Amino acid sequence: MSDGVEGNDERRRTGDAAGPEPQGVPEPRPGEPEPAAQPEPTPLVKAGTAGRTEARAGAKTDEPATGEADDAAPAAPGTPADAPPDSTDTPDDPEAPDEPGDGLRYERLPDAPPDSTDTPDDPEAPDEPGDGLRYERLPDTPPPILDGVRARPPAPPGLATLVAAAVTALLSGLLLGDGLAVNALILALPLAAAAWFAARQAGRRPRRSSLCWGAGGLALLAVPVWSDAEWPTLLAVLAAAGLGALALHGCRKWSGVLLAPLGPVLAVRRALVWGWRGARERTAGVEKDLGPLLRSVLVAVVLLVVFGGLFAAADRAFADLLGSLVPDVDGGSGVPWRLFLAVLGLAAALAVAHTAAAPTRWDGLGPGPGRPRGRVEWALPLVLLDLLFAAFVAVQAAVLLRGEDVVRASNGLTYSEYAREGFWQLLFATVLTLAVISVAVRVAPRSGPRDLLLVRAVLGTLCLLTLVVVASAVRRMDLYMGEYGLTRLRLSVVAMELWLGAVVLLILAAGVFGARLLPRAVLASAAVAVLAFGLASPDKLIAESNLDAHRDGRTLDLRYLAGLSADAVPALDRLDEPLRSCALRSIAVPDAPWYATSLSQARAHDILTARPVRNHPCRDLLTDDISPSVR
């Protein structure tokens, strides 16, 4: 008991209130003076976000809270009469606001004046007068949205991953300055290798579905190899990136399928730091092994340059072959551009490898099933929508089957005007119907077999009627293109409408066999549609369709055909002069290196080399109204 009293006196002399508090006041020993009266504890108050303050709970009454004595009581021996105002001594209380690890965020407020009084109009005024410390409770920082789905940071990358990333950077700087063709497929190989090595190092085994997505992404890169048109190439590259992201993450739900492409983009900063740590670990303490490797590479480069230059000077054919194989890195503005492409390739490779090692589980961000509604509340709007669709389908069947006379009699429009007028509305109606179906599935009742039967009946009817709307829209555009010919926009929207019809069919299949595979099936159908669209060479189809219509007596829009890509050269080569030369003169077939030359460009180059374009005056011929008599 005496030890506790002496320890407590020592703490009062030094102003330290961090020790354990005594359980009660001890009795004085005979011959010892009575201890001084203990001051009332100065409360620690913390202001909330609403401006109100509250006294700190759990404060002891037998010891000063901050090591300071009350002004009304005499100071204990050894204790200074006036403590400095910025004293930070605090009791050893687990509820103290400035104690680290309490999980709360506080801000130190200025000390209140001794005569301050609490007023309800002043949100920052203390509850009661005193010179205690005041703290304001700061708003809790919301946790990052990705903390719950992001994997733990992976171990630094291994040597194989770093080598694959370096090869990707080198090839990006050398091959990516002159367009996309075979180089896109070449760059995808070390990129996939970096992801493979990183995933294996992290202990991840690729699923068969991930391998299929990766193979599909590589297949889509055949479009820039085959076609010269920029718009199918762009669609194919974006679709390949989407399939590659899905292969890295292995997502299965709608949220994962839609958000997976963001994974490598969001991982770039962390991936660069991750790659730097891996490079430091691999090079630390291995100077003896790294030196011979660098010397070997340097000797090999010198030998190749010297002997390659000698052989190129000795034989012109070998010089041409070497010049076509080695990228042309000029010394002007090309060097900074290629360095930028190399850095971009390195960042992309590290981001892909980091994502493969520690993917974000985007499936965890998906919303849960919606609150089921009552049968009447859910089914009545959709039944009425089914009736509206049925009435529209009946009218469409009468118009499309009976032909142009019905259109003229009812609307006063030509068949082509009628087709063009309603296509866009039907396309938007198809997209809106898919949105209605997705919402209806979330709120549909799921309590028993009768509810399941009702869902299948109502939504199945809506899907079937939507298929008829899709067919009507495609038929309208077909009639319009038959009158005015194909264009890029018309062909693209028809392809889009056909794909939406395929999505409706997949929804019907999901209603019968289950919706577990529906997100991935929709993505696979989109990838197949993009691949088929690109390999079909849309510009070639447009040129052939317009030439066939011209031979059948329709006018020819030569100005539009002259703006197509090299894919249209084989079709336009069949035109008679001077139309042929006027159409082919504006089509650019660049003399690009082998890795940036598509098959269509190579074919067009051979045609124009065998039959050069003649120098005809084409100003009067580049019009959208060339009569069939001009051949």
Side-chain angles (χ1 to χ4, degrees):
M1 186 70 178
S2 61
D3 294 340
V5 173
E6 292 174 359
N8 200 23
D9 291 340
E10 180 66 20
R11 285 192 297 272
R12 281 196 293 268
R13 284 194 297 270
T14 59
D16 183 12
E21 299 178 352
Q23 305 295 325
V25 180
E27 294 291 336
R29 293 183 179 182
E32 291 185 358
E34 274 185 59
Q38 301 297 324
E40 291 295 326
T42 303
L44 286 177
V45 295
K46 47 186 179 180
T49 57
R52 302 181 59 184
T53 58
E54 57 183 4
R56 196 188 62 156
K60 304 299 181 179
T61 60
D62 57 347
E63 188 172 343
T66 62
E68 301 177 12
D70 195 11
D71 294 338
T79 305
D82 294 327
D86 57 347
S87 174
T88 57
D89 294 338
T90 56
D92 188 10
D93 190 348
E95 294 184 5
D98 58 344
E99 183 72 21
D102 61 349
L104 303 178
R105 300 172 62 244
Y106 295 89
E107 181 181 8
R108 172 78 177 274
L109 295 180
D111 294 336
D115 56 348
S116 62
T117 55
D118 190 12
T119 56
D121 294 333
D122 188 5
E124 293 186 0
D127 288 342
E128 56 188 54
D131 55 355
L133 300 180
R134 299 175 64 248
Y135 293 88
E136 180 181 5
R137 171 73 180 277
L138 298 180
D140 293 335
T141 303
I145 190 173
L146 299 181
D147 279 357
V149 296
R150 180 176 289 168
R152 299 179 61 183
L159 181 61
T161 304
L162 294 175
V163 170
V167 171
T168 305
L170 179 62
L171 293 179
S172 299
L174 293 177
L175 305 182
L176 275 187
D178 305 292
L180 287 180
V182 189
N183 49 8
L185 190 58
I186 294 175
L187 284 174
L189 298 179
L191 203 63
W196 175 272
F197 292 136
R200 294 298 298 267
Q201 180 186 354
R204 294 188 64 209
R205 288 188 176 183
R207 301 174 180 174
R208 287 181 295 179
S209 59
S210 296
L211 295 178
C212 292
W213 294 127
L218 293 177
L220 281 167
L221 294 180
V223 173
V225 178
W226 174 261
S227 175
D228 178 53
E230 295 179 355
W231 50 302
T233 298
L234 179 61
L235 286 177
V237 172
L238 293 178
L243 293 189
L246 194 62
L248 295 175
H249 293 85
C251 301
R252 299 184 177 184
K253 298 181 180 179
W254 281 112
S255 58
V257 170
L258 296 177
L259 297 177
L262 295 178
V265 178
L266 298 178
V268 171
R269 183 183 61 84
R270 290 178 285 114
L272 292 176
V273 177
W274 177 67
W276 174 250
R277 291 175 179 173
R280 289 184 60 184
E281 287 192 4
R282 296 300 167 185
T283 55
V286 295
E287 290 82 0
K288 295 182 179 180
D289 298 332
L290 190 61
L293 177 61
L294 294 178
R295 288 193 296 269
S296 176
V297 172
L298 181 60
V299 170
V301 170
V302 171
L303 291 177
L304 290 177
V305 170
V306 171
F307 284 94
L310 291 175
F311 291 152
D315 189 280
R316 183 177 296 273
F318 182 79
D320 295 338
L321 176 63
L322 194 63
S324 62
L325 294 178
V326 178
D328 183 17
V329 183
D330 51 1
S333 60
V335 173
W337 172 243
R338 292 184 183 275
L339 287 178
F340 171 76
L341 292 176
V343 173
L344 191 64
L346 179 63
L350 290 177
V352 167
H354 186 277
T355 305
T360 302
R361 302 299 180 185
W362 297 106
D363 286 344
L365 294 180
R371 183 174 66 87
R373 305 288 180 176
R375 293 180 182 175
V376 176
E377 181 183 3
W378 168 82
L380 180 61
L382 292 183
V383 170
L384 296 177
L385 186 61
D386 287 343
L387 295 177
L388 179 63
F389 269 62
F392 177 79
V393 166
V395 173
Q396 289 299 293
V399 171
L400 294 178
L401 291 178
R402 296 175 62 182
E404 187 171 1
D405 295 337
V406 177
V407 175
R408 289 184 180 275
S410 57
N411 300 308
L413 302 175
T414 64
Y415 218 23
S416 59
E417 292 172 344
Y418 176 76
R420 180 185 61 183
E421 186 182 60
F423 172 80
W424 297 104
Q425 290 84 346
L426 296 182
L427 177 63
F428 183 74
T430 305
V431 176
L432 190 59
T433 303
L434 294 177
V436 170
I437 292 174
S438 64
V439 174
V441 169
R442 285 180 50 81
V443 302
R446 303 176 285 271
S447 58
R450 296 182 61 184
D451 291 333
L452 182 60
L453 181 61
L454 179 63
V455 170
R456 289 180 174 178
V458 175
L459 293 184
T461 303
L462 184 59
C463 289
L464 291 175
L465 294 174
T466 304
L467 287 177
V468 180
V469 172
V470 170
S472 175
V474 173
R475 176 58 179 164
R476 284 171 179 257
M477 186 53 65
D478 180 64
L479 294 173
Y480 186 71
M481 291 187 301
E483 181 69 24
Y484 295 101
L486 279 178
T487 62
R488 289 177 173 178
L489 178 61
R490 297 165 191 169
L491 189 60
S492 299
V493 295
V494 167
M496 179 70 177
E497 186 71 29
L498 291 175
W499 176 70
L500 291 176
V503 172
V504 175
L505 289 175
L506 291 175
I507 294 175
L508 281 173
V512 178
F513 302 104
R516 186 174 62 91
L517 299 177
L518 181 60
R520 289 176 287 174
V522 171
L523 182 64
S525 67
V528 171
V530 171
L531 180 61
F533 187 74
L535 295 181
S537 296
D539 283 3
K540 180 181 178 181
L541 294 178
I542 292 171
E544 291 177 346
S545 173
N546 282 273
L547 291 182
D548 293 340
H550 183 60
R551 293 188 179 93
D552 292 338
R554 294 185 176 90
T555 59
L556 184 67
D557 189 351
L558 193 63
R559 181 185 298 273
Y560 184 82
L561 296 180
L564 299 177
S565 64
D567 298 343
V569 170
L572 298 179
D573 184 58
R574 300 198 301 264
L575 282 171
D576 297 332
E577 294 292 350
L579 297 181
R580 174 188 176 275
S581 295
C582 293
L584 295 178
R585 181 177 300 171
S586 301
I587 297 179
V589 183
D591 190 11
W594 63 272
Y595 51 82
T597 302
S598 63
L599 295 178
S600 293
Q601 287 178 335
R603 191 183 308 113
H605 185 271
D606 294 340
I607 293 175
L608 296 179
T609 302
R611 296 180 59 192
V613 175
R614 300 178 184 178
N615 190 15
H616 291 293
C618 301
R619 182 175 182 180
D620 296 335
L621 294 177
L622 291 177
T623 177
D624 57 354
D625 189 16
I626 297 180
S627 63
S629 59
V630 179
R631 297 289 183 180

